[in-house]
Amino acid sequence: MKLVTLDTCKSGIELSEELKREAMAANALLHAGTGAGNDFLGWVNLPSSIDKAQIDAINECAASLRAKADVVICIGIGGSYLGAKAVLDAMTNSFELFRAKHDNPIVLFAGQNISEDYLAELLDAVKGLSIATIVISKSGTTTEPAIAFRIIKEEIERRYGKEEAKSRIVAVTDKARGALKTLATDEGYATFVIPDNVGGRFSVLTPVGLLPLAVGGVDIEAMVEGAKAMEEATAEDVAFEDNISAQYAAVRNALYRNGKKIEILGSYEPKLQNINEWWKQLYGESEGKDGKGIFPASVTLTADLHSMGQYIQDGERSLFETIISVATPAHTVVVESDSANLDGLNFLAGKRMHEINKMAELGVQLAHVDGGVPNMRIEIESINERTIGALLYFFEKACGISGYMLGVNPFNQPGVEAYKKNMFALLDKPGYEEESKAIKARL
Ligand code: PA5
């Protein structure tokens, strides 16, 4: 994997020696474990700490779900959802649902919203198909997944009886605390533990991500290997010139300090779209606090050139872009010659679509740089378990460094409580009587 920053994105913004030192100091702080939020640094050395026994235990549980179910419904939200969704989409055929035969169970997601229609349609879709569920919640008390789990658990118990249901439900949660842990112990579900020192948005390489991915047929061992290689490549003793997480963090902060407040992550491979969503949570929740933070936005290209392209080229100049660039696609499709040539595209005849996609990428990059949008490029050779594992860890490490450079605690999320308080007050949750009265008076 390579990070191309084009002389700080040809923006005229210098990457000072001081800024490089800041990035290296922030990286050292992550390794020393003495910075803000240091009780949530378990992800820093996580890839190298995952042993064969842990991988085997996850694969074994995944195999038993795979043997039982056509569809595994994975319940969770935020950090307990986005990583698995992102990697699964990246690693799966885009049209898997339409293929006549599936090599792996279909993994569907629930509990990432409270939409009645979503859950009703999901349950309708799995009628006649064998189902199992993985319920994931670190706190074990998050409302959205708890509601979905209540309904899906009921469906599984109704279909298979309480005894069989136990082998179709797996919980991934805290080792000791929370309602889900209590329920899992009482009911005798298989459980996996989310380490105390790994926060939700940094948890994709724990069973939170690895179990659903193993169910979906992803080689989790290779993914962890990829992450481990990146852990080594971005370690404390790796010089700034070689440390791409430190470089990415430094460039982002240089741009931010020069008025670039919005970062757009994009790719020309639509199956990476949910990597963008995972990244948005990682950076949004980690950096957006204390009145500070780069706003993480995303595009899928070339589709969004026909919607957001105008703004990016020509709107307010507060943007910069980071493109995940894939060197080699998995398939080959060649544009053929057409005798009528009514569309005028015969000049492309014989070219692979990928060559055209690459020229679009290059053309857009130059146009956006010309338009005052600094561009970075993260180059990966192809989309596979190793590169995706490396990419995830690269972003996590850079996020920790960048958050410290920004001067925030990247590992808390005090801002997500406000909506919950209001929602519980509006729903008359016991214990919220005062808040209930106050909020209803505002309506
Ligand atoms: O990053 C985070 O900590 C959050 O986004 C959580 O992952 C999310 O709120 C889900 O929490 P839980 O796993 O406790 O249900």
Side-chain angles (χ1 to χ4, degrees):
M1 204 174 117
K2 202 169 137 198
L3 178 74
V4 183
T5 59
L6 294 176
D7 301 333
T8 314
C9 324
K10 295 246 183 293
S11 59
I13 295 167
E14 287 288 307
L15 202 57
S16 67
E17 289 307 312
E18 175 51 28
L19 206 75
K20 293 179 190 175
R21 273 195 294 277
E22 258 185 63
M24 291 307 281
N27 196 24
L29 203 55
L30 289 171
H31 286 274
T34 49
N38 58 359
D39 39 353
F40 284 101
L41 292 174
W43 58 271
V44 174
N45 299 117
L46 182 63
S48 59
S49 74
I50 299 173
D51 60 22
K52 181 95 175 74
Q54 284 168 284
I55 298 282
D56 288 349
I58 292 171
N59 278 331
E60 202 179 302
C61 177
S64 91
L65 294 176
R66 290 165 62 90
K68 278 179 185 287
D70 304 317
V71 176
V72 175
I73 304 168
C74 192
I75 302 173
I77 194 166
S80 293
Y81 153 67
L82 287 158
K85 172 74 177 151
V87 179
L88 204 62
D89 281 8
M91 296 306 309
T92 307
N93 184 303
S94 306
F95 303 98
E96 186 60 33
L97 286 175
F98 300 97
R99 296 171 88 196
K101 275 192 73 176
H102 306 292
D103 300 331
N104 304 295
I106 299 295
V107 178
L108 298 179
F109 292 88
Q112 78 280 38
N113 57 56
I114 325 176
S115 163
E116 190 162 342
D117 283 349
Y118 181 92
L119 199 60
E121 288 170 17
L122 186 152
L123 289 171
D124 186 54
V126 299
K127 264 188 196 146
L129 296 169
S130 169
I131 59 170
T133 192
I134 304 169
V135 54
I136 308 172
S137 177
K138 184 166 193 231
S139 64
T141 54
T142 307
T143 310
E144 291 92 333
I147 292 172
F149 181 53
R150 188 182 265 230
I151 293 164
I152 288 163
K153 172 178 178 278
E154 190 114 343
E155 171 74 10
I156 292 177
E157 289 178 348
R158 191 185 54 71
R159 284 197 198 186
Y160 305 105
K162 264 195 124 185
E163 231 7 77
E164 169 64 15
K166 288 180 188 176
S167 64
R168 289 174 179 264
I169 298 174
V170 180
V172 182
T173 189
D174 187 84
K175 69 174 185 306
R177 281 165 301 159
L180 180 57
K181 173 64 192 166
T182 310
L183 183 71
T185 308
D186 289 355
E187 300 277 355
Y189 303 148
T191 54
F192 285 89
V193 170
I194 309 172
D196 282 345
N197 59 359
V198 180
R201 57 189 174 276
F202 289 86
S203 69
V204 59
L205 295 165
T206 73
V208 168
L210 298 182
L211 180 61
L213 292 171
V215 168
V218 173
D219 179 349
I220 57 169
E221 196 167 2
M223 187 174 133
V224 169
E225 280 303 317
K228 193 174 150 196
M230 189 55 71
E231 180 189 325
E232 284 160 15
T234 60
E236 185 189 2
D237 56 357
V238 177
F240 182 86
E241 286 63 33
D242 300 315
N243 193 325
I244 57 175
S245 288
Q247 291 167 16
Y248 177 55
V251 172
R252 298 176 83 247
N253 278 276
L255 295 171
Y256 179 69
R257 291 173 196 182
N258 281 277
K260 302 295 183 188
K261 307 286 187 195
I262 299 166
E263 178 177 10
I264 303 173
L265 184 70
S267 164
Y268 289 75
E269 293 298 338
K271 59 169 54 180
L272 296 184
Q273 190 165 2
N274 276 303
I275 296 282
N276 297 347
E277 297 307 313
W278 171 84
W279 170 89
K280 285 198 286 203
Q281 186 215 11
L282 181 64
Y283 281 79
E285 268 192 359
S286 299
E287 294 193 323
K289 53 195 69 161
D290 308 335
K292 300 191 245 189
I294 297 167
F295 183 83
S298 69
V299 288
T300 299
L301 303 163
T302 58
D304 287 337
L305 294 174
H306 300 261
S307 64
M308 297 304 290
Q310 171 60 37
Y311 191 106
I312 298 171
Q313 188 66 47
D314 219 12
E316 194 174 338
R317 301 297 70 192
S318 51
L319 313 171
F320 66 98
E321 248 177 342
T322 301
I323 299 298
I324 302 173
S325 181
V326 181
T328 314
H331 305 281
T332 304
V333 179
V334 175
V335 178
E336 306 215 343
S337 179
D338 181 270
S339 55
N341 194 27
L342 289 177
D343 54 13
L345 289 182
N346 270 355
F347 75 101
L348 296 176
K351 284 196 193 299
R352 287 181 62 178
M353 283 186 75
H354 184 61
E355 288 178 73
I356 305 167
N357 206 19
K358 278 286 154 210
M359 289 310 110
E361 183 178 326
L362 188 58
V364 170
Q365 182 187 335
L366 294 171
H368 287 181
V369 169
D370 288 346
V373 179
N375 254 254
M376 271 187 278
R377 208 166 64 238
I378 297 162
E379 295 181 348
I380 61 174
E381 180 44 40
S382 60
I383 299 174
N384 61 50
E385 280 92 345
R386 278 174 197 276
T387 55
I388 295 294
L391 183 70
L392 297 175
Y393 187 87
F394 157 79
F395 275 135
E396 289 183 354
K397 190 59 171 308
C399 184
I401 298 172
S402 185
Y404 279 164
M405 291 181 77
L406 194 64
V408 299
N409 173 357
F411 308 113
N412 65 4
Q413 54 284 325
V416 302
E417 294 310 314
Y419 96 90
K420 293 183 191 168
K421 202 176 94 202
N422 284 351
M423 182 175 80
F424 292 147
L426 288 165
L427 287 166
D428 297 315
K429 183 173 177 173
Y432 283 77
E433 291 76 11
E434 282 311 308
E435 287 88 346
S436 237
K437 255 191 257 157
I439 201 164
K440 284 179 183 168
R442 285 172 58 193
L443 301 179

